[in-house]
Amino acid sequence: MAIHVTTSINAEPVEFLCEADDTLVHVLRDTLNLTGTKEGCSTGDCGACTIVLDGRLACSCLVLGVEAEGKSIETIEGVATPGALHAVQQSLLDHAGLQCGICTPGIVVAARALLERNADPSEEEVRYWLAGNLCRCTGYDKIIRAVLAAAQDLREAAS
Amino acid sequence: MADSPDGDLKYVGRSIRTKEGRAPLIGKAKYTSDYAFAGQLHACIVRSPHAAARINRVDLSAATRVAGVRLAMHGADVAALTDPIPDYLEPALFGGKAAAHRCLAIDEVWCYGQPVAVVVAEDMRTARYAAARVQVDYTPLEAVVDAEAALAVGARTIVPGWDDNLLMHVPFMHGDTVAAFESADQVVSTEVKIHRFSTQPMETRCYNAVWEHNTESITLYGTSQNPHPLRLVLAQTLRMPENKIRIIASTIGGAFGLKMHGHPEEGLICLLAKLTGQPVKWLESREECLLIGAREQKHYIEMAVNNDGTVLGLRDRFYANTGAPSACPGWGMAFLTGLTMPGPYKVRDIDVQMHAVSTNKPSWNAARGYGKESTAIALELAMDNVARQLGVSPVTVRLKNFIGKDEFPYDSPTGLLYDSGDYAGAVEKTLQAIDYDDCLEEQASARESGRYIGIGVAFELTPEGGAIPGSMVVGYDTSSVRVGPDGTVRLLTGVTSPGTGNATGIAQIVADELGVDIDAIEVLQGDTNASPYGFGNYSGRSTIVGGGSAALAAQDVRLMIDKVAAALLEVERSSLVLQRGVYTSTADSSASVTFAEVCYAAYTRAYDVALCIDPPLEATRTFRPPSIRHTPDANGNINPYPSYSNAAYATVCEVDVQTGQVKLLKFAVTHDCGKVINPILVEGQACGAIGFGIGGALTEDVRYDASGRQLTRSFMDYVMPRMSDMPPIAVEHHDMPNPGNYLGLKGAGEAGVGGSAAAVVNAVNNALQPLGVVMNELPLTAPRVWAAIQQASVAPTPGGDQ
């Protein structure tokens, strides 16, 4: 039996119906057509489906749709403002921190969350914070450069 | 806006990102699995739980009774409507055995995970539920899982009708190996065991087939590296004319060879769409994706060496466990491993015996490096063994035996024609990048404090752009350049991008040839109804032949536009100057017209100023690299490669002798891919490939139990490097232009896997040398390194604070 869920996605109120065992990534992609969130492994190992759930990073493949009841969800679709990329996105583009791009939404969401908590992370902090996001194309080197550069850009913009 | 070209400021050679990147960053890139169509149905495949079994009966009745199920089929049902899947690369071309590859198994299964039945339903949940209700009655057979055991007398043959399990044996021989071994001071033997890897792109395979009722044709949205050749395969499998099939390979989320075709699901999903008259989608699960492996092989190497380090001769017998026969081209990797011996070394007397063996493991598909990485792993581990036995530096041994930079073009003993290179120079640059001398000092002082630091070097030759006669692995490709009446450019090319950035690289070339802003160029790839017939992405070929053909087409179109500009301005064509989108003339300072105005005139004034051309402003050209030679030479050899990219690697690791954990501290690579079109994209390719090599050397491993059931089923088991595992990578370019190709291009993309894996293994062995530990069996996981240390002849003396 379908269950009614009331939530907010990227600061917009959203209600949807889902089955009790539907994962949140399936609800986002198939019911709400928010296909920016990717499913890479379905076991919480790759981080492609990373979202922010009530302020915390989560793998949306490990969250049930019904668990979103009363919570706020942030997805990749809410990161850029109309007309402008977020500093993390721009920096990933400039530093070629993405290749095929399928892990990129998860990395953007996770990296933005890092920089919201820590404006000046060390390289090691970036490496460990983003260790939950697998990328098979880049060898990570340019992602790390991009996130460190984005942190610097944001600090300079704030000062 | 990207910078406009003016004067000497060209796009080629610059690190820019314009043709891909923005859409994935905002979650708007459309990958195959993001497509959903009205009336979308979903397929779920029933797979064999046995490595080898006879299928007695497949009962679909419990599945078809489930409401929402539209169709359920077993092997015999599908075989009645399809023909066997043609091989991407026929083993028979190389004297190998043939097998019939079916979409679903009939009578027998040959490996764990082989498709046996399929269920189509209105939603995925129903399809999965119904698939679980399919009853298959099997009689398990003895599974043959080890390659050498598969060749033993009395081993069960896995394919009915074959007389043994040897898919193919190819000798690669040159010179007089017996004399070389007799005259050498020493013979150094090395056994190298390379385990089963899997490429595991972050996007699994997905096929969404749409039956087009109006034209009675199929449109397949699919994760394919090679849409045009796949179209021919589907035509033959489905018994349909090729012109009734369209393939759209949308944005692809990484491929690395895994999305080359021959997979049973490709034709199967199309058939299901045809039978139901509705779109049918199949999305591979990660567990299914992990079935596809590569490069499990054992090398028995002997090197005949003199005491000064000169290698006189090479013998290598190797056995590749290519798994069950399939239509995918994975087995060809083993052939390439033999063909590219002895790599960068000037060894003339060789005796290399390649054995590709069929077993009851799931089959290989192509994997980045396509066998050349295994050549590098085998040779580079053996070279370090030579250095250890002779008591000389591993660097010295390599420098002693490299082909010299003034010896190109170089005829290899297997008939390849290496175009160019400076191997010693690349090694030198790498050692500088890693501060080799400082590393040696650091290592010595660390050993005094009980820390085990190792330094590893390796070299890798990666011929790129391969072409095999009589197959759809061809050396050329084709592009079309179309300039519209508004001066904007549509570039269509037969090469595809699985996310490598070649669209940007090719657009850079076209922007320079046409003299236009790169933002005025749109690149279209991967749609068989739009692109010229092309062969897609493999073998590091895309920029060589995609870029080369696009350059030729752009030159043709530029000539047309120049002619119209000269007619409009009433000046000699030779006096024209095109800068920032405006034509002027050195002969008439008042003459000026924009590029867009000229293009408009080319379309609209066909009876006066544009009489000098044939509109439209379009050209289609093919680039066929001239150095490929398919006519056999006196020894019967061909040269299937137009470019011989290469790279040198060095790494520093620390081994925790109490746990066996290997930590990489430093990594440097020097890469020669000829002229670099876009440094940042080449670096991205190299770093990504190095990630494959490091993961493969240390943690990635697809494992089976004794009965051939796969144990590695998720990313919990298949352990790929994470950001916290990877060292910083210093990338140097050392570009020796290829004299035969446009702009001096060589391929990029494959170098990195084998050389980095070998450097890591050599570093670990170097770290553990004081203990007498030598490990030439990959991967060097912590438990295996720890076990080797336990068995060492010398007990470790860990440092005080560990």
Side-chain angles (χ1 to χ4, degrees):
Chain A
M1 194 185 74
I3 299 164
H4 180 260
V5 176
T6 303
T7 182
S8 101
I9 300 180
N10 300 323
E12 295 286 333
V14 173
E15 298 176 39
F16 59 81
L17 292 176
C18 72
E19 296 293 328
D21 60 349
D22 275 338
T23 58
L24 183 55
V25 66
H26 280 216
V27 172
L28 290 172
R29 288 178 54 81
D30 300 337
T31 307
L32 303 172
N33 202 29
L34 293 169
T35 55
T37 301
K38 303 301 179 191
E39 184 165 23
C41 68
S42 317
T43 53
D45 292 304
C46 80
C49 66
T50 301
I51 56 155
V52 176
L53 188 65
D54 267 0
R56 293 174 64 106
L57 287 178
C59 286
S60 56
C61 72
L62 296 185
V63 177
L64 293 173
V66 293
E67 291 181 273
E69 172 66 33
K71 297 202 169 118
S72 76
I73 297 167
E74 295 165 58
T75 70
I76 184 64
E77 285 88 354
V79 176
T81 50
L85 296 177
H86 185 275
V88 165
Q89 293 168 315
Q90 187 61 49
S91 189
L92 283 165
L93 190 58
D94 295 342
H95 289 81
L98 70 158
Q99 287 178 21
C100 83
I102 202 150
C103 71
T104 306
I107 284 178
V108 168
V109 169
R112 183 186 65 160
L114 167 65
L115 300 187
E116 283 170 359
R117 285 161 176 76
N118 181 353
D120 191 8
S122 67
E123 178 173 330
E124 194 169 16
E125 284 171 328
V126 173
R127 285 182 181 276
Y128 278 88
W129 182 275
L130 291 176
N133 294 81
L134 285 170
C135 167
R136 207 54 173 154
C137 292
T138 63
Y140 304 112
D141 220 66
K142 295 192 185 301
I143 299 176
I144 294 160
R145 308 295 139 227
V147 173
L148 290 169
Q152 190 175 346
D153 292 344
L154 286 168
R155 286 197 306 276
E156 284 168 8
S159 64
Chain B
M1 279 297 269
D3 290 338
S4 301
D6 60 344
D8 293 334
L9 183 58
K10 297 282 193 180
Y11 288 108
V12 165
R14 289 163 57 196
S15 291
I16 51 175
R17 285 298 305 267
T18 61
K19 291 301 156 203
E20 58 279 300
R22 202 184 137 77
L25 281 163
I26 57 174
K28 295 297 180 195
K30 234 171 139 97
Y31 299 86
T32 305
S33 67
D34 296 331
Y35 286 89
F37 301 103
Q40 183 75 63
L41 303 177
H42 298 265
C44 184
I45 292 169
V46 178
R47 293 178 185 272
S48 169
H50 303 289
R54 211 167 19 252
I55 300 171
N56 301 317
R57 201 167 76 93
V58 181
D59 182 355
L60 302 167
S61 60
T64 51
R65 282 199 300 270
V66 177
V69 168
R70 299 291 299 275
L71 184 64
M73 300 180 87
H74 53 52
D77 290 341
V78 171
L81 301 171
T82 57
D83 282 336
I85 307 163
D87 284 288
Y88 197 124
L89 196 55
E90 273 180 77
L93 284 173
F94 305 85
K97 292 187 171 72
H101 315 297
R102 289 288 183 176
C103 295
L104 297 176
I106 319 166
D107 302 330
E108 275 194 13
V109 288
W110 294 344
C111 66
Y112 174 85
Q114 189 173 349
V116 173
V118 65
V119 176
V120 180
E122 286 162 8
D123 60 79
M124 195 59 226
R125 178 198 308 270
T126 305
R128 267 199 218 110
Y129 176 76
R133 290 168 61 100
V134 172
Q135 297 288 319
V136 186
D137 179 25
Y138 296 100
T139 301
L141 300 169
E142 178 203 355
V144 179
V145 292
D146 178 78
E148 288 174 76
L151 297 182
V153 177
R156 194 179 69 81
T157 53
I158 68 157
V159 178
W162 286 13
D163 51 5
D164 59 30
N165 293 314
L166 186 61
L167 177 68
M168 185 184 310
H169 165 235
V170 181
F172 298 91
M173 298 167 77
H174 186 269
D176 188 346
T177 319
V178 174
F181 273 74
E182 277 173 1
S183 70
D185 294 337
Q186 298 189 34
V187 172
V188 177
S189 302
T190 312
E191 289 183 17
V192 177
K193 191 170 173 189
I194 303 171
H195 60 299
R196 185 173 167 115
F197 295 43
S198 185
T199 49
Q200 295 305 302
M202 297 313 299
E203 178 203 42
T204 58
R205 290 182 300 132
C206 182
Y207 307 111
N208 196 343
V210 178
W211 179 252
E212 309 283 4
H213 290 272
N214 55 341
T215 52
E216 298 187 324
S217 66
I218 286 172
T219 303
L220 175 67
Y221 295 77
T223 49
S224 167
Q225 288 175 246
N226 322 89
H228 279 99
L230 171 59
R231 187 175 66 178
L232 179 64
V233 164
L234 291 177
Q236 293 178 4
T237 308
L238 298 167
R239 303 171 184 161
M240 283 175 72
E242 203 204 21
N243 61 12
K244 288 285 187 187
I245 300 170
R246 175 185 187 184
I247 294 169
I248 298 175
S250 178
T251 309
I252 294 181
F256 316 117
L258 187 119
K259 293 165 185 171
M260 292 175 78
H261 53 78
H263 300 285
E265 299 88 354
E266 294 155 346
L268 178 64
I269 302 305
C270 290
L271 175 70
L272 298 172
K274 189 177 175 182
L275 294 176
T276 58
Q278 277 178 250
V280 178
K281 181 175 183 175
W282 174 74
L283 175 60
E284 185 183 50
S285 70
R286 186 53 67 180
E287 182 175 354
E288 289 173 311
C289 191
L290 278 159
L291 294 168
I292 302 161
R295 61 170 91 89
E296 175 182 358
Q297 60 201 45
K298 176 93 183 266
H299 289 257
Y300 298 89
I301 301 168
E302 288 179 316
M303 282 182 172
V305 297
N306 278 346
N307 292 334
D308 68 352
T310 307
V311 180
L312 302 177
L314 168 74
R315 285 184 182 137
D316 180 20
R317 255 182 319 119
F318 70 95
Y319 301 89
N321 187 339
T322 63
S326 90
C328 290
W331 65 267
M333 294 176 68
F335 180 81
L336 266 287
T337 301
L339 183 70
T340 54
M341 293 278 182
Y345 300 113
K346 205 165 54 181
V347 181
R348 302 302 303 176
D349 297 310
I350 68 163
D351 177 353
V352 175
Q353 304 289 330
M354 169 281 218
H355 306 81
V357 185
S358 293
T359 67
N360 289 124
K361 285 187 174 176
S363 68
W364 290 5
N365 199 3
R368 187 181 209 167
Y370 203 67
K372 295 159 280 191
E373 75 294 347
S374 296
T375 312
I377 293 171
L379 283 176
E380 295 302 293
L381 269 51
M383 287 303 268
D384 259 39
N385 224 11
V386 168
R388 269 190 299 272
Q389 301 238 350
L390 298 180
V392 299
S393 152
V395 174
T396 309
V397 166
R398 286 176 172 82
L399 294 178
K400 186 107 201 156
N401 292 288
F402 276 147
I403 299 157
K405 80 170 172 185
D406 52 359
E407 294 178 87
F408 294 96
Y410 176 83
D411 280 302
S412 93
T414 63
L416 306 183
L417 187 65
Y418 299 2
D419 60 271
S420 57
D422 174 18
Y423 305 158
V427 166
E428 213 164 283
K429 246 187 196 175
T430 310
L431 297 180
Q432 276 171 17
I434 207 162
D435 300 320
Y436 187 65
D437 292 335
D438 290 354
C439 292
L440 289 172
E441 280 177 29
E442 200 186 323
Q443 178 182 43
S445 65
R447 273 185 190 165
E448 283 172 18
S449 61
R451 290 171 59 212
Y452 289 81
I453 285 181
I455 308 160
V457 294
F459 198 86
E460 183 177 34
L461 180 74
T462 46
E464 306 264 32
I468 296 170
S471 79
M472 291 298 248
V473 179
V474 307
Y476 65 92
D477 221 299
T478 306
S479 297
S480 298
V481 170
R482 300 177 181 168
V483 179
D486 64 348
T488 62
V489 184
R490 167 70 76 186
L491 166 60
L492 304 104
T493 177
V495 301
T496 55
S497 174
T500 56
N502 65 46
T504 295
I506 298 170
Q508 285 175 272
I509 289 169
V510 169
D512 282 355
E513 292 288 354
L514 285 178
V516 302
D517 192 305
I518 198 166
D519 286 347
I521 301 174
E522 282 292 316
V523 184
L524 183 79
Q525 298 172 288
D527 180 346
T528 56
N529 273 18
S531 305
Y533 199 101
F535 296 86
N537 174 268
Y538 53 85
S539 195
R541 69 194 299 272
S542 299
T543 306
I544 304 175
V545 288
S549 58
L552 294 173
Q555 287 163 4
D556 285 1
V557 175
R558 173 70 184 268
L559 179 60
M560 295 163 80
I561 299 169
D562 280 355
K563 283 181 178 172
V564 176
L568 265 176
L569 296 176
E570 298 178 342
V571 298
E572 289 294 316
R573 190 156 52 81
S574 59
S575 77
L576 289 172
V577 177
L578 175 61
Q579 261 184 341
R580 294 183 178 274
V582 178
Y583 273 104
T584 53
S585 167
T586 55
D588 176 358
S589 59
S590 67
S592 170
V593 63
T594 68
F595 183 82
E597 286 168 338
V598 176
C599 294
Y600 186 73
Y603 282 89
T604 57
R605 296 182 59 184
Y607 293 95
D608 57 348
V609 295
L611 262 177
C612 53
I613 63 159
D614 287 326
L617 296 174
E618 295 186 8
T620 297
R621 290 289 298 272
T622 293
F623 179 57
R624 182 159 37 186
S627 59
I628 293 176
R629 192 196 64 245
H630 280 171
T631 310
D633 65 12
N635 299 318
N637 294 321
I638 61 169
N639 177 38
Y641 284 101
S643 86
Y644 290 80
S645 311
N646 55 86
Y649 306 81
T651 188
V652 179
C653 76
E654 177 163 5
V655 181
D656 181 338
V657 291
Q658 292 184 320
T659 63
Q661 187 78 35
V662 175
K663 174 84 183 162
L664 298 180
L665 308 174
K666 280 179 158 186
F667 201 100
V669 58
T670 301
H671 186 234
D672 171 8
C673 66
K675 169 77 179 173
V676 175
I677 302 296
N678 187 321
I680 203 168
L681 295 178
V682 170
E683 289 161 18
Q685 287 298 299
C687 291
I690 288 165
F692 272 63
I694 289 174
L698 294 177
T699 53
E700 294 176 29
D701 190 7
V702 183
R703 294 170 59 235
Y704 295 82
D705 70 12
S707 68
R709 288 195 181 90
Q710 191 160 319
L711 302 171
T712 305
R713 296 188 193 172
S714 77
F715 285 166
M716 290 279 271
D717 315 311
Y718 194 71
V719 184
M720 298 178 292
R722 294 179 179 275
M723 214 177 274
S724 48
D725 301 318
M726 287 289 287
I729 301 169
V731 183
E732 302 284 335
H733 300 273
H734 190 66
D735 304 310
M736 309 304 285
N738 181 334
N741 287 342
Y742 172 77
L743 289 180
L745 294 174
K746 296 178 189 169
E750 292 195 295
V753 181
S756 63
V760 169
V761 174
N762 288 342
V764 172
N765 284 332
N766 182 248
L768 298 179
Q769 203 165 346
L771 309 181
V773 170
V774 179
M775 300 183 72
N776 288 324
E777 281 195 19
L778 278 61
L780 304 187
T781 58
R784 300 183 60 213
V785 173
W786 182 84
I789 292 168
Q790 300 311 302
Q791 290 161 13
S793 52
V794 180
T797 50
D801 56 354
Q802 284 200 336

